[in-house]
Amino acid sequence: MSKTNKIYWFEGVTEKGVKALLNDENSKYRWLRPQRNRRILVLLMAFGLVLTAMCSYWPSLKTNLDLSDGAARTIFSVTAVFVIFAVLGGYSFLRISVRSIADAPDELLDERQIKVRNASFRYAYLAMGFVVLVLLLAMFFGPELNIFQPEGNDGSYLMIATLFAFAFMPSMVLAWRERDI
């Protein structure tokens, strides 16, 4: 075993980090491993991504909920920061629950894990085709969105949710499909 910790820049992982997740049976994370708990985590992640995307429509929601400006800014700021950090924290739990198989390079996985990972990527990007279709329909038929504008509906949160979904979807599919990890 080499003394160096090789960094896989494209995958965003290190050799020691992936090997630790693949081989470690740490009892602290045992509750994340059952399929039922992983599926609950996937549903929570999907809900978090929807909430992140809905932040783009906050001005329309604020008008419909009849909130004052001071209260609205405070509610929006706290909610947006909480939702984004909750989604990122959920993703770290998701990576631990699938032992980072979706993010690991080929040379650190065995043949079965590579096959499972590649199948998860295939289904993830098929699912992302439908997600992008739904987001495009929301942009066309929903309230008007502007990117990085101080007034009106800000489409940047929709863009952030889409980027998160592309990054998280392989691990989400792997967590949902695999019985034992």
Side-chain angles (χ1 to χ4, degrees):
M1 186 167 172
S2 68
K3 299 276 186 205
T4 62
N5 186 17
K6 186 174 179 181
I7 299 172
Y8 296 92
W9 294 102
F10 186 71
E11 291 87 358
V13 297
T14 62
E15 181 179 11
K16 287 182 183 176
V18 170
K19 284 184 178 181
L21 282 173
L22 288 173
N23 301 324
D24 192 18
E25 286 298 329
N26 191 343
S27 62
K28 184 168 65 171
Y29 299 116
R30 186 169 295 152
W31 63 276
L32 288 170
R33 305 277 192 239
Q35 186 178 29
R36 182 180 146 266
N37 293 349
R38 285 184 281 125
R39 285 185 172 182
I40 290 170
L41 188 58
V42 167
L43 292 174
L44 289 173
M45 290 291 298
F47 181 68
L49 291 172
V50 169
L51 283 179
T52 304
M54 290 304 295
C55 288
S56 288
Y57 295 106
W58 175 250
S60 296
L61 292 172
K62 180 178 74 170
T63 303
N64 293 339
L65 295 175
D66 195 30
L67 295 172
S68 66
D69 283 336
R73 281 194 187 113
T74 305
I75 290 170
F76 177 71
S77 300
V78 170
T79 303
V81 169
F82 175 75
V83 166
I84 288 175
F85 279 120
V87 167
L88 291 173
Y91 180 58
S92 66
F93 281 131
L94 189 66
R95 282 185 69 177
I96 291 169
S97 74
V98 296
R99 299 182 184 268
S100 196
I101 292 173
D103 301 319
D106 285 348
E107 63 190 68
L108 298 178
L109 300 175
D110 62 22
E111 293 85 13
R112 180 194 170 277
Q113 291 169 332
I114 291 171
K115 186 176 178 179
V116 166
R117 186 212 42 209
N118 291 344
S120 295
F121 266 89
R122 180 177 182 272
Y123 289 121
Y125 290 112
L126 286 172
M128 284 308 298
F130 292 109
V131 169
V132 169
L133 176 66
V134 168
L135 292 175
L136 286 173
L137 290 173
M139 286 177 57
F140 287 134
F141 298 113
E144 180 182 353
L145 290 175
N146 298 313
I147 303 293
F148 305 117
Q149 297 296 319
E151 297 296 322
N153 294 330
D154 184 14
S156 60
Y157 291 100
L158 190 64
M159 189 168 47
I160 290 169
T162 305
L163 293 174
F164 279 173
F166 269 104
F168 303 167
M169 192 61 74
S171 292
M172 290 171 73
V173 168
L174 184 62
W176 190 270
R177 290 186 68 227
E178 282 301 303
R179 192 169 300 279
D180 295 320
I181 292 183

